[in-house]
């Protein structure tokens, strides 16, 4: 048994290691020998390292499914939620709404010829600035999140990243969805991803809009005839596998053979 700072040896029990973190912790120890040299004890172990899932995926390509429920689901198991559902964003949005209402109230008062400057901070110029600041803060938070997601995606240095051509027009069916889509900043995300991938020499593959990434079974290739948006779990009628809908889509994107190379 090995931990980062100590090793368990037969008859001796736990022995502290001078060199921490040298021996992989998740390894199975096959055999070990202890030697003494210049008054110091050395332990050498023969180990079997089990490649973890992430390590196996590294160097391989990844597929990413971009969406509204979750921002990005990657085929290596990484999931990045929608930042617009977080309390930090919601709180700032609420403050923005309040500031916008206060501003329009001041405009109305002026139109009616009422005096608005009855208390400190009530003038219009300040209210405009408050609205602008909050708009900017929201934009910054969202943009920083996109950069963060991109940085973690390229961090594993995959051979390629495959994503679907963004069909923003098709996504925008109603006003609320339109707002949700525009707040995600998919286009900006793609630009950021492209520039990061160029920097690190990662191929970016774009799959056409008609590739049925959500309807295919990533395990056996069986295509579902119908899959409603409400179904968050993909269950294959052919092989019986059951996967998260977006994860299944990301695996299909990774496996896609027809694509355009963007980098
Ligand atoms: Zn299947």
């Amino acid at each position: 048994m090995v931990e980062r700072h100590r090793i368990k040896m037969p008859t001796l029990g736990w022995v502290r290691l001078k060199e921490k973190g040298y021996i992989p912790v998740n390894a199975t120890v096959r055999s070990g020998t202890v030697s003494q040299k210049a008054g110091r004890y050395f332990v050498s172990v023969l180990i079997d390292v089990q490649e973890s899932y992430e390590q196996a995926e590294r160097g391989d390509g990844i597929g990413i499914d971009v969406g509204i429920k979750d921002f990005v689901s990657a085929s290596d198991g990484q999931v990045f939620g929608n930042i617009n559902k977080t309390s930090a964003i919601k709180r700032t949005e609420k403050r923005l709404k309040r500031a916008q209402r206060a501003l329009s109230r001041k405009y109305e008062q002026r139109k009616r010829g009422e005096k608005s400057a009855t208390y400190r901070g009530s003038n219009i110029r300040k209210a405009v600035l408050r609205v602008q600041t909050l708009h900017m803060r929201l934009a910054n938070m969202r943009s920083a999140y996109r950069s963060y997601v991109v940085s973690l995606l390229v961090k594993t240095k995959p051979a390629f990243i495959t994503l679907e051509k963004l069909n923003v027009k098709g996504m925008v069916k109603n006003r609320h969805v339109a707002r949700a889509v525009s707040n995600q900043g998919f286009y900006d995300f793609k630009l950021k991803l492209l520039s990061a991938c160029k920097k690190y020499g990662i191929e970016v593959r774009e799959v056409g809009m008609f590739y049925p990434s959500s309807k295919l079974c990533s395990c056996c290739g069986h295509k579902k005839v119908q899959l409603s948006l409400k179904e968050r779990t993909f269950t294959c009628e052919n092989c019986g596998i059951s996967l998260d809908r977006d994860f299944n889509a990301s695996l299909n994107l990774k496996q896609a053979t027809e694509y355009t190379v963007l980098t």
Side-chain angles (χ1 to χ4, degrees), residues 6-7 22 31 73 87 89 123 129 134 136 145 149 165 170 180 185 188 209 211 240 246 249:
R6 57 181 192 168
I7 183 164
Y22 258 49
S31 66
S73 298
S87 63
I89 289 277
N123 62 59
L129 191 66
L134 286 165
M136 199 177 67
Y145 183 64
V149 172
K165 192 172 169 67
D188 176 65
M209 280 183 267
Y211 179 65
D246 298 336

Side-chain angles (χ1 to χ4, degrees), residues 68-88:
I68 293 185
K69 190 194 155 266
D70 283 321
F71 181 45
V72 170
S73 298
S75 64
D76 64 356
Q78 295 189 84
V79 179
F80 301 96
N82 183 346
I83 192 189
N84 296 307
K85 290 177 182 169
T86 60
S87 63

Side-chain angles (χ1 to χ4, degrees), residues 162-163 205-208 211 252-253 255-261:
T162 310
L163 73 162
R205 300 173 175 178
E206 189 177 64
V207 168
Y211 179 65
N252 283 324
L253 287 166
Q255 289 160 14
T257 50
E258 277 178 52
Y259 49 81
T260 321
V261 175

Side-chain angles (χ1 to χ4, degrees), residues 217 220 236 239:
C217 170
C220 71
C236 178
C239 70

